[in-house]
Amino acid sequence: MAISMYQASIPQFTKMLTNLANILQKGEAFAKAKNVDGAVLVGDRLALDMFPLSKQVQIACDQVKNGMARLAGIEPPKFEDHESTFAELQERIAKTIAFAQSIQPAQVDGTETKEIKFSIKEWNFEFIGEQYLFAWIMPNFYFHVTTAYNILRHNGVEIGKADFLGG
């Protein structure tokens, strides 16, 4: 039995964004316990040429809201990329989850062969729906969630695989 585009995406994105929110809670608690300004962790990165934690969370959320909106044929919500605190990142995740949950299965199922075209800066992309979901949205989403996890773990936040995968 083949899994539908909706079932392969929205429930998993929601679960992983919830896990990311829980990981960020542990990061915030760690900062408070160690008397570290939370902005230090939110602004930290793994390497100089990588985005900081805040941008990793923003991009993970953007993959879900923009990607699923393209598949559903609706306008995604616009979020300003100004988050600089754990609370602001939590708010962005919550808004992304709410948007994802507002998408109905009928809006996404049947989009396997839908043409998806978009540009990022000077790069132009063309996909069909199934390829877009499985070869673009999901890998990018997991990359940025994993990198956010790794930034916090690298800084000593006591999180592990169970936190990443959730309950």
Side-chain angles (χ1 to χ4, degrees):
M1 177 180 198
I3 189 166
S4 73
M5 293 280 282
Y6 180 90
Q7 285 301 319
S9 58
I10 297 295
Q12 188 62 23
F13 290 143
T14 300
K15 175 183 180 229
M16 290 304 297
L17 286 170
T18 301
N19 297 350
L20 179 59
N22 293 334
I23 288 166
L24 291 176
Q25 281 181 334
K26 289 188 174 191
E28 184 174 26
F30 172 85
K32 286 179 182 172
K34 299 293 184 184
N35 202 25
V36 173
D37 183 355
V40 171
L41 287 178
V42 171
D44 198 27
R45 58 188 77 222
L46 289 177
L48 292 176
D49 65 345
M50 292 181 76
F51 289 127
L53 175 64
S54 58
K55 190 70 172 172
Q56 301 297 338
V57 174
Q58 291 165 355
I59 295 172
C61 290
D62 288 351
Q63 287 299 314
V64 174
K65 72 178 183 69
N66 296 338
M68 296 315 296
R70 282 186 187 112
L71 284 172
I74 59 176
E75 189 68 28
K78 303 280 189 251
F79 298 165
E80 298 295 324
D81 291 339
H82 69 278
E83 293 87 2
S84 61
T85 67
F86 281 108
E88 291 169 343
L89 292 173
Q90 292 287 6
E91 183 180 337
R92 186 179 185 117
I93 291 170
K95 289 189 302 188
T96 303
I97 289 171
F99 173 71
Q101 291 178 334
S102 76
I103 296 172
Q104 299 302 306
Q107 293 173 280
V108 177
D109 289 343
T111 62
E112 292 84 354
T113 60
K114 179 180 181 176
E115 286 188 4
I116 305 288
K117 297 180 182 183
F118 63 99
S119 298
I120 301 175
K121 298 182 183 177
E122 67 272 9
W123 299 291
N124 298 311
F125 299 94
E126 293 186 25
F127 295 97
I128 60 165
E130 187 175 51
Q131 177 191 33
Y132 179 55
L133 177 59
F134 295 114
W136 180 265
I137 301 172
M138 285 188 170
N140 276 288
F141 173 76
Y142 280 105
F143 175 86
H144 293 287
V145 171
T146 301
T147 303
Y149 167 93
N150 287 335
I151 290 169
L152 292 174
R153 184 67 186 98
H154 177 75
N155 277 283
V157 177
E158 293 183 14
I159 51 178
K161 188 175 183 180
D163 297 296
F164 183 85
L165 295 176

